[in-house]
Amino acid sequence: MDNIQAIAEGDGRQRILAAAEKLFSDKAFDAVSMSAIACEAGISKANIYHYFPNKDTLYLAVLRMASHNLRAVLNESVSAHGSVRDVLRHFAHNHLQALLKRPELVRLVWREILEKGAPRAQEFAEQGFADMFSALVDVLKLGQTRGEFRPDFDPALVATLLLGANVFFFQSRDILRHYPPITFADDPAGYDAGIVEILLRGLAPATA
């Protein structure tokens, strides 16, 4: 009975998080009520308060879930490959796929940053996004330590370029389709492969 109850508890919490993610991304934080989230999740409003005492707590839980998902993408890449170069290839591909598969979540993040500015951006960082970024920087530092990469670049700058390239593709692909020279708007895998190879060539140690 305890196991069944635990499964039900987990399912209820996930339904609430999924509903909140959808509504927050569609309408932004201030326009979403707990009643609307309950209706979307198909549960009572009282049940939401059983898991989350207020809307802010629920919102931060959605952010933590998003950051944990992205950190899992990086962890999977590290576990699957020995060389840091291959880790970056794997991570870049899967990170972009994660953005494209959950556009509501990406819209939620960027809408809140644009509308709320620095205070909201700090909340995002504190909910795990900064930790994920730091973990990616550590991977790049490992590449420097092993001699796979040059020692004279800023790994935080490279991490910013890599993540920024994926976010740009996500945000701009609809207009990129109408730029005649561009052939990769509908080929995210090819786009990522090209971006990573350009970065890796710049990071490669100098040869004698």
Side-chain angles (χ1 to χ4, degrees):
M1 183 67 178
D2 289 342
N3 288 338
I4 294 174
Q5 183 177 359
I7 292 171
E9 291 270 328
D11 179 65
R13 189 175 190 278
Q14 288 305 118
R15 285 165 60 192
I16 294 167
L17 287 170
E21 176 186 321
K22 180 180 185 301
L23 293 179
F24 285 145
S25 61
D26 287 346
K27 301 180 180 180
F29 176 82
D30 292 334
V32 176
S33 68
M34 293 293 261
S35 296
I37 294 171
C39 182
E40 179 71 24
I43 63 174
S44 70
K45 185 177 177 180
N47 276 341
I48 293 185
Y49 288 111
H50 171 71
Y51 298 99
F52 306 100
N54 53 57
K55 190 168 72 167
D56 280 332
T57 303
L58 174 54
Y59 182 74
L60 294 178
V62 171
L63 296 183
R64 281 194 298 274
M65 179 178 65
S67 68
H68 291 166
N69 289 341
L70 293 178
R71 180 62 182 269
V73 169
L74 179 58
N75 290 344
E76 177 190 348
S77 300
V78 171
S79 299
H81 298 283
S83 77
V84 176
R85 298 171 70 88
D86 286 339
V87 168
L88 291 183
R89 291 186 180 102
H90 188 273
F91 170 73
H93 172 80
N94 287 346
H95 176 257
L96 181 55
Q97 290 302 314
L99 299 183
L100 295 174
K101 287 177 181 176
R102 301 184 72 181
E104 297 86 1
L105 192 56
V106 183
R107 287 199 298 269
L108 165 63
V109 170
W110 287 105
R111 176 184 289 120
E112 288 298 299
I113 289 176
L114 291 173
E115 293 181 357
K116 304 294 177 61
R120 189 62 95 192
Q122 181 178 352
E123 285 185 340
F124 279 33
E126 291 172 349
Q127 295 309 310
F129 288 98
D131 290 340
M132 190 277 292
F133 182 84
S134 295
L136 179 57
V137 169
D138 287 341
V139 169
L140 290 160
K141 288 180 178 178
L142 178 61
Q144 290 176 310
T145 301
R146 289 180 175 178
E148 293 185 51
F149 299 150
R150 292 176 12 224
D152 60 343
F153 69 84
D154 180 356
L157 177 59
V158 175
T160 301
L161 290 172
L162 182 60
L163 297 173
N166 279 349
V167 171
F168 176 79
F169 181 88
F170 171 86
Q171 293 179 322
S172 306
R173 67 185 308 203
D174 286 339
I175 191 171
L176 292 177
R177 289 190 179 101
H178 303 287
Y179 291 179
I182 288 180
T183 60
F184 52 74
D186 293 306
D187 181 19
Y191 167 85
D192 250 338
I195 290 291
V196 173
E197 289 310 311
I198 290 170
L199 283 175
L200 290 178
R201 290 178 189 179
L203 301 178
T207 56

